[in-house]
Amino acid sequence: MAMGFDFNEMNKTKKTLIGLGLGQILSLLCTSNAFTSSELARKGINAPTSQTFLSYTLLAVVYGGIMLYRRPTIKGKWYHYFLLALVDVEGNFLVVKANQYTSITSIMLLDCWAIPCVLVLTWMFLKTKYRLMKISGVFICIAGVVMVLFSDVHAGSRAGGSNPVKGDFLVLAGATLYAVSNTTEEFLVKNADTVELMTFMGLFGAIISAIQVAIFEQGELKAIHWSADAVFPFLRFAITMFLFYSLLPILLRTNGSTMFTLSLLTSDMWAVLIRIFAYHEKVDWLYYLAFATTAIGLIIYSMKEKDEEEEREEQRKKLLDEEEGQSLPDTSL
């Protein structure tokens, strides 16, 4: 019995560590995409939907090819995938659009607003239960991001923007759509095939993005001087987004959308480290404290997940023992 318990404990610890590590890989990929978008903006290229179009197309081609080779039975409804892709595309569009109106500090509030949205949505639709330790981990993570905001204000990096109110509403709308997308994807990844999910999300995402590009970004694309310097960031963004979407279902299946949303909080901190070591910029000391605080919150949240699994496993074993005791024949005769 002891050996079995140790084996189960090791598996749960391994799952927690994989969740933390995978969450930070996704956070780094998200940070890479942000810097790529910034690089394109510095070059005068403002075509966010065109960037995501390449990512969705790559998903459709790669996973669609796997799906055609396997020829599986489709488990999900096509309109579920269409709605998921629509929400995901528009979430990306709104958040990028907000950069034109409000400050980077305000946009960082996106992380904080997405968390309560995910908590409410998973509680309402996925019946996820959150206990005191789990909620405390969430608040500690949010405290870390608040420190980043205070650091930006203290360093004088807050710029008002041309229309802060409009930009803030765009951020809140985009954050809400991200929460809906993450929660829906968690449901689908646990009830359908991952290859199927990525195929249809890529297919419908590419179609929706192509329509938006045709309506809003034709002029931008025609104005671009297409050279290696312009093409390479588009390709880099497409590849990193492909990796992001490919790894995301693994984290959603094992740790849930709340863990994913909390993990993305550290993307701001990774961006700071890149600014320090790659661009040799000086940052406020609060950034370091914020990074440590957010990391502690993530660990607390993950530890609680493991404790809840242990309680469910103990209850399951008790029920099995009771059933076995009732079913054993009386051999006293």
Side-chain angles (χ1 to χ4, degrees), residues 234-299:
F234 275 94
L235 295 178
R236 186 171 69 239
F237 185 92
I239 293 172
T240 52
M241 280 296 288
F242 172 80
L243 293 173
F244 180 89
Y245 281 115
S246 297
L247 294 174
L248 177 57
I250 302 174
L251 183 63
L252 292 178
R253 186 184 296 110
T254 57
N255 298 86
S257 54
T258 305
M259 179 65 177
F260 163 65
T261 307
L262 291 174
S263 296
L264 288 190
L265 288 177
T266 58
S267 62
D268 299 321
M269 288 65 164
W270 290 123
V272 171
L273 293 178
I274 293 174
R275 284 165 53 189
I276 294 172
F277 295 104
Y279 296 95
H280 306 290
E281 296 181 8
K282 292 183 178 180
V283 298
D284 196 75
W285 63 271
L286 271 175
Y287 272 112
Y288 301 103
L289 183 59
F291 190 94
T293 303
T294 305
I296 291 171
L298 281 172
I299 294 171

Side-chain angles (χ1 to χ4, degrees), residues 196-207:
E196 176 183 309
L197 171 63
M198 291 293 99
T199 298
F200 284 107
M201 186 172 178
L203 175 63
F204 290 126
I207 293 172

